[in-house]
């Protein structure tokens, strides 16, 4: 269990009263067994070979004598084979809820956990030849949410990414634009419905080869440089600019498979780029610009950002200096064929090639240089890479080599790994060729959200429906991705993600809107502390006993880099509040002030929790 200021205080009480050390506390599986539990009696019984319940009773009797001066604990009981359960004072639980309602006080309290710590967190670094697909979205949502959580705990967080803006794939996209973007040539060839065929990846092999048959790419480039108006632009295809790059890369890649000599042309483009040819660099800048503009629109839509973008083109040449240092210091070894290999035996890791026998650098050389730049530019306590599970071995190797070369202690480097994501909706998968673009998924969610809203709210205007549907769509997507433990592979279910009755973002949004509706309807506007009723219902007790856990869940999510801890807790709060709402009258009841207090606290938790997941709340739904 994650330690908080509350659990630490209870531990101190136990240790001081009983003379114990290293007490372990847990939360009982069911609320009827209290708020905290320890097995110290069973541990002591095993050592002393005595009955654990007998020892537990003796320990409880001793602690109960000290309870008169304890404001937190109401009672202590023995349960089961010898567990000791602690019940928190209702008055203390009220104070904890009050703290949550005091935003500034609660923020200061949370900020003590990681105050002064600094993080550099890398997330969402797609290749410019790709659009942001749902795998990138999982990376993005995870990285952004973790940054919000760490910042809430008082840490300073800088967000960065790497723009892989050079290499064969970029050059293949450039080649693809020269050939498949030249509209005057396409028109002369008479390819019917060309734009739709390219957008939907439906060009036939014959059509591909007819367009790609001219091998004089240098002449095409020179002609493009002076006649750019003869080439298609993203607007001609009614596509965002990053999608336009993607649909050009696809036919170029297929053409190269059908006609392998095209790869030689692409290699020549790469050499011209490395030689800083003016015309090639002009085409390259255009292709990269389109990708960045498209990404920017998507990032704005999902409320994401980077504080620093590293461009591979700025430092790729410098990576080989680390190879020279590694060979000089014995960190690397040269093989008989000229290839350079790591030496990671002391780290119990398999070795990996650094430089191929033909002199080609592997990505490791660039990552070593990038890590060096990160460390020198942004001094931090932790450098975090949000990267999929499939890169676990590589990053272990890279971190170890960084330590060997004296770049940084590998304990400062952390791989925030996550699993693959699939889509349950087979129709959508087939419609988009198996790889689902993130914006397309959001559009689908938005369309379905709008239909649900139109069915339930006839009074809303079209503009209002559009605005709410967009926020609900983003919430459904983010929550649907973040509610699972990050290391697990997941299957995203569109219908489930939009359900107002299940484990979804819109369900939590709806519960928050319900809380706000109750608060607005009440004539009691005084938000001061209510008197605790002589008797409270099981629903009220259950809700009240959830509130103090909020701090612990945020701390736990930060320690484990796992937003699923918060999403799971929000669902529990939402379900518990809705049970309370269904069974207990709030407005006009004798306990209105107390029940309104529970409602306000629930709303505050749901709002803050959703914000930590990067989700916007809605006052009305």
């Amino acid at each position: 269990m994650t330690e908080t200021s509350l659990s630490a205080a209870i531990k101190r009480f136990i240790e001081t009263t009983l003379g114990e050390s290293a007490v372990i506390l847990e939360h009982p599986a069911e609320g009827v067994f209290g708020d905290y539990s320890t097995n110290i009696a069973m541990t002591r019984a095993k050592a002393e070979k005595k009955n654990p319940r007998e020892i537990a009773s003796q320990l409880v009797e001793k602690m109960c004598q000290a309870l008169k001066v304890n404001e937190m604990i109401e009672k202590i009981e023995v349960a089961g084979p010898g567990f000791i359960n602690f019940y928190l004072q209702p008055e203390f639980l009220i104070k904890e809820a009050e703290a949550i309602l005091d935003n500034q006080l609660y923020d200061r309290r949370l900020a003590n956990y990681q105050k002064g710590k600094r993080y550099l967190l890398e997330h969402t670094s797609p290749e410019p030849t790709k659009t942001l697909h749902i795998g990138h979205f999982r990376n993005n949502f995870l990285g952004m949410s973790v940054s919000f959580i760490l910042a809430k705990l008082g840490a300073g967080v800088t967000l960065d990414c790497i723009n892989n803006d050079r290499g064969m794939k970029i050059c293949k996209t450039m080649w693809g634009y020269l050939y498949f973007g030249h509209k005057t040539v396409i028109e002369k060839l008479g390819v019917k419905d060309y734009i739709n065929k390219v957008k939907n990846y439906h060009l036939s092999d014959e059509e591909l080869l007819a367009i790609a048959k001219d091998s004089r790419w240098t002449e095409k480039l020179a002609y493009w440089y002076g006649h750019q108006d003869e080439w298609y632009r993203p607007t001609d295809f009614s596509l965002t600019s990053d999608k336009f790059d993607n649909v050009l890369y696809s036919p170029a890649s297929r053409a190269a498979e059908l006609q392998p000599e095209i790869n030689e042309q692409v290699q020549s483009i790469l050499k011209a780029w490395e030689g800083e040819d003016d015309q090639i660099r002009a085409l390259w800048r255009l292709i990269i610009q389109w990708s960045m503009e498209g990404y920017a629109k998507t990032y704005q839509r999902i409320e994401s950002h980077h504080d620093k973008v590293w461009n591979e083109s700025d430092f790729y040449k410098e990576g080989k200096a680390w190879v020279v240092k590694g060979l000089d210091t014995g960190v690397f070894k040269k093989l008989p064929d000229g290839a350079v290999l790591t030496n990671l035996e002391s780290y119990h890791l398999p070795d990996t090639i650094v430089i191929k026998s033909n002199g080609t650098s592997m990505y490791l050389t660039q990552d070593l240089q990038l890590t060096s730049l990160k460390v020198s530019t942004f001094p931090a306590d932790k450098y975090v890479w949000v990267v999929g599970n499939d890169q676990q071995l590589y990053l272990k190797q890279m971190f170890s080599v960084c330590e060997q070369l004296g770049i940084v202690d590998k304990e400062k480097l952390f791989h925030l790994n996550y699993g693959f994501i699939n889509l349950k909706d087979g129709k959508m998968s087939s419609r988009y060729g198996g790889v689902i673009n993130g914006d397309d998924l959001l559009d689908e969610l938005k369309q379905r959200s709008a239909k649900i809203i139109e069915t339930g709210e006839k009074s809303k205007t079209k503009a209002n429906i559009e605005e709410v549907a967009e926020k609900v769509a983003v919430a459904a997507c983010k929550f649907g991705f973040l509610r699972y433990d990050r290391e697990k592979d997941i299957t995203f279910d569109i219908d489930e993600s939009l359900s107002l009755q299940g484990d979804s973002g819109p369900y939590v949004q709806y519960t928050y809107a319900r809380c706000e509706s109750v608060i607005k309807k009440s004539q009691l506007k005084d938000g001061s502390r209510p008197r605790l009723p002589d008797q409270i219902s099981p629903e009220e007790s259950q809700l009240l006993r959830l509130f103090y856990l909020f701090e612990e869940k945020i701390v736990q999510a930060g320690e484990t880099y796992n937003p699923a801890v918060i999403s799971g807790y929000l669902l529990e709060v939402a379900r518990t509040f809705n049970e309370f709402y269904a069974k207990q009258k709030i407005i006009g009841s004798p306990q209105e002030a107390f029940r309104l207090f529970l409602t306000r606290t629930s709303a505050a938790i749901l709002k803050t929790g959703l914000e930590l997941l990067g989700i916007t709340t809605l006052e009305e739904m």
Side-chain angles (χ1 to χ4, degrees):
M1 187 187 78
T2 298
E3 184 163 300
T4 62
S5 54
L6 172 56
S7 61
I10 294 174
K11 279 186 181 181
R12 283 195 300 272
F13 167 75
I14 298 170
E15 291 167 356
T16 302
T17 307
L18 302 180
E20 287 283 339
S21 61
V23 171
I24 297 173
L25 287 178
E26 298 291 344
H27 292 297
E30 297 180 34
V32 293
F33 295 115
D35 300 294
Y36 289 97
S37 180
T38 181
N39 66 348
I40 55 172
M42 289 186 283
T43 303
R44 186 180 287 190
K46 187 176 181 180
E48 298 177 8
K49 296 182 180 179
K50 293 182 179 179
N51 185 299
R53 276 192 66 89
E54 183 181 328
I55 290 179
S57 297
Q58 294 169 358
L59 296 178
V60 166
E61 184 179 353
K62 190 173 183 180
M63 286 188 286
C64 284
Q65 292 173 2
L67 276 185
K68 295 176 183 178
V69 293
N70 193 291
E71 296 180 351
M72 293 182 297
I73 302 170
E74 179 187 23
K75 61 180 179 178
I76 308 172
E77 294 181 345
V78 178
F83 289 106
I84 298 175
N85 295 336
F86 299 82
Y87 296 77
L88 296 175
Q89 288 273 14
E91 282 292 336
F92 176 78
L93 294 173
I94 291 283
K95 287 181 181 179
E96 286 295 292
E98 281 184 303
I100 292 170
L101 289 173
D102 187 335
N103 291 331
Q104 292 184 341
L105 172 67
Y106 204 63
D107 281 348
R108 286 197 300 271
R109 186 161 124 184
L110 289 171
N112 286 323
Y113 284 95
Q114 296 208 29
K115 187 176 182 179
K117 289 194 73 172
R118 293 172 297 175
Y119 292 83
L120 181 66
L121 188 151
E122 178 189 309
H123 74 88
T124 326
S125 300
E127 294 178 3
T129 57
K130 295 180 179 178
T131 57
L132 293 168
H133 56 62
I134 58 175
H136 295 127
F137 268 23
R138 189 172 194 192
N139 181 306
N140 184 281
F141 300 160
L142 179 59
M144 289 302 299
S145 180
V146 167
S147 77
F148 296 144
I149 294 164
L150 294 174
K152 195 74 169 177
L153 293 170
V157 185
T158 302
L159 300 173
D160 71 333
C161 72
I162 170 68
N163 176 20
N164 300 291
D165 62 347
R166 62 170 293 278
M168 286 292 284
K169 287 186 176 181
I170 301 293
C171 291
K172 191 169 285 184
T173 303
M174 293 159 63
W175 182 93
Y177 183 55
L178 289 176
Y179 282 81
F180 295 97
H182 196 176
K183 59 185 174 184
T184 53
V185 171
I186 304 299
E187 288 166 1
K188 286 179 183 177
L189 287 171
V191 179
K192 294 180 180 178
D193 201 23
Y194 178 72
I195 288 177
N196 282 327
K197 283 183 177 179
V198 173
K199 284 171 67 172
N200 295 298
Y201 311 100
H202 288 162
L203 281 174
S204 67
D205 290 352
E206 292 76 15
E207 288 167 333
L208 281 168
L209 293 174
I211 295 168
K213 67 180 180 180
D214 186 355
S215 62
R216 296 169 298 177
W217 71 267
T218 52
E219 293 179 20
K220 263 193 177 295
L221 174 67
Y223 188 76
W224 166 83
Y225 195 68
H227 303 83
Q228 295 182 28
D229 58 324
E230 291 188 23
W231 266 257
Y232 287 113
R233 313 286 285 189
T235 50
D236 295 318
F237 279 59
S238 300
L239 289 173
T240 56
S241 50
D242 59 319
K243 277 192 181 180
F244 186 59
D245 277 355
N246 187 248
V247 298
L248 292 171
Y249 174 77
S250 180
S253 183
R254 279 183 58 207
E257 291 176 5
L258 295 168
Q259 198 168 298
E261 54 267 30
I262 288 173
N263 288 314
E264 297 174 12
Q265 297 176 44
V266 175
Q267 188 68 50
S268 298
I269 290 174
L270 178 58
K271 288 181 180 178
W273 181 89
E274 290 174 344
E276 300 187 14
D277 177 89
D278 288 341
Q279 294 180 353
I280 278 290
R281 287 290 177 126
L283 177 58
W284 168 71
R285 282 191 291 271
L286 180 65
I287 295 295
I288 296 299
Q289 176 191 329
W290 282 338
S291 282
M292 296 304 105
E293 287 175 351
Y295 294 164
K297 289 180 180 178
T298 303
Y299 289 147
Q300 183 178 19
R301 186 177 189 184
I302 59 177
E303 298 183 271
S304 173
H305 75 279
H306 297 102
D307 301 305
K308 171 66 178 177
V309 177
W310 306 95
N311 295 309
E312 186 184 332
S313 58
D314 292 336
F315 63 82
Y316 78 99
K317 291 180 180 178
E318 299 163 22
K320 286 191 177 181
W322 292 107
V323 180
V324 174
K325 180 177 180 179
L327 288 170
D328 289 344
T329 56
V331 170
F332 299 146
K333 53 190 175 184
K334 184 168 277 191
L335 301 179
D337 64 358
V340 176
L341 190 69
T342 58
N343 185 6
L344 296 171
E345 184 179 358
S346 62
Y347 289 88
H348 307 290
L349 293 171
D351 285 317
T352 184
I353 293 289
V354 183
I355 301 284
K356 290 182 178 180
S357 57
N358 64 4
T360 303
S361 298
M362 301 300 284
Y363 262 105
L364 179 61
T365 62
Q366 291 154 42
D367 282 335
L368 292 174
Q369 176 60 19
L370 176 56
T371 304
S372 174
L373 288 170
K374 286 177 183 244
V375 171
S376 61
T377 309
F378 298 100
D381 299 285
K382 209 79 170 177
Y383 298 89
V384 180
W385 279 256
V386 183
V387 182
N389 285 338
D390 56 321
Q391 296 298 310
Q392 289 186 79
L393 173 59
Y394 170 72
L395 285 174
K396 285 179 183 176
Q397 292 168 326
M398 197 270 281
F399 294 167
S400 300
V401 173
C402 282
E403 184 169 76
Q404 287 178 315
L405 291 170
I407 294 172
V408 63
D409 184 340
K410 76 181 184 70
E411 295 306 314
K412 283 191 166 189
L413 311 178
F414 181 74
H415 177 198
L416 204 173
N417 58 305
Y418 61 92
F420 290 106
I421 182 164
N422 297 303
L423 203 64
K424 186 176 181 180
D425 190 331
K427 291 181 181 178
M428 192 174 180
S429 294
S430 60
R431 190 187 318 156
Y432 294 103
V435 178
I436 310 300
N437 176 273
D439 280 309
D440 291 334
L441 176 58
L442 287 178
D443 290 342
E444 185 83 17
L445 287 164
K446 183 178 179 180
Q447 184 180 356
R448 297 194 193 188
S449 299
K451 287 181 180 177
I452 294 170
I453 296 166
E454 287 169 357
T455 302
E457 269 293 350
K458 302 296 183 183
S459 61
K460 288 188 181 292
T461 65
K462 186 175 181 180
N464 187 248
I465 290 173
E466 175 95 2
E467 180 185 355
V468 173
E470 174 70 13
K471 290 178 180 178
V472 170
V474 173
C477 197
K478 287 187 176 183
F479 198 94
F481 283 28
L482 293 173
R483 75 183 184 91
Y484 297 96
D485 284 338
R486 59 179 172 82
E487 295 186 25
K488 291 183 178 178
D489 294 341
I490 63 175
T491 298
F492 182 77
D493 186 326
I494 290 178
D495 292 329
E496 186 179 90
S497 74
L498 288 170
S499 172
L500 294 179
Q501 306 298 324
D503 298 344
S504 72
Y507 172 69
V508 180
Q509 282 181 314
Y510 179 77
T511 305
Y512 172 78
R514 171 174 277 175
C515 291
E516 287 298 305
S517 175
V518 170
I519 294 166
K520 287 175 184 176
K521 287 177 182 176
S522 175
Q523 298 299 310
L524 298 179
K525 301 305 178 185
D526 181 9
S528 60
R529 183 185 185 192
R531 185 184 67 82
L532 183 69
D534 295 331
Q535 283 191 323
I536 62 175
S537 69
E539 294 78 28
E540 291 167 323
S541 176
Q542 190 178 0
L543 195 54
L544 187 60
R545 290 187 180 281
L546 272 179
F547 295 158
Y548 81 93
L549 293 172
F550 191 32
E551 179 178 340
E552 180 183 310
K553 297 299 182 181
I554 297 174
V555 175
Q556 183 185 349
E559 287 180 350
T560 59
Y561 304 93
N562 192 8
V565 174
I566 290 176
S567 57
Y569 172 71
L570 293 183
L571 286 172
E572 190 173 4
V573 171
R575 282 193 292 263
T576 305
F577 175 81
N578 285 321
E579 288 174 11
F580 156 70
Y581 177 86
K583 294 181 180 180
Q584 302 297 331
K585 183 180 179 181
I586 301 175
I587 307 298
S589 71
Q591 294 84 27
E592 181 174 347
F594 175 67
R595 290 175 180 174
L596 204 61
F597 174 75
L598 296 179
T599 303
R600 285 198 181 97
T601 309
S602 298
I605 288 173
L606 296 177
K607 182 178 176 62
T608 300
L610 286 173
E611 287 171 351
L612 293 175
L613 300 179
I615 295 172
T616 303
T617 52
L618 293 165
E619 301 292 320
E620 296 179 355
M621 281 185 71

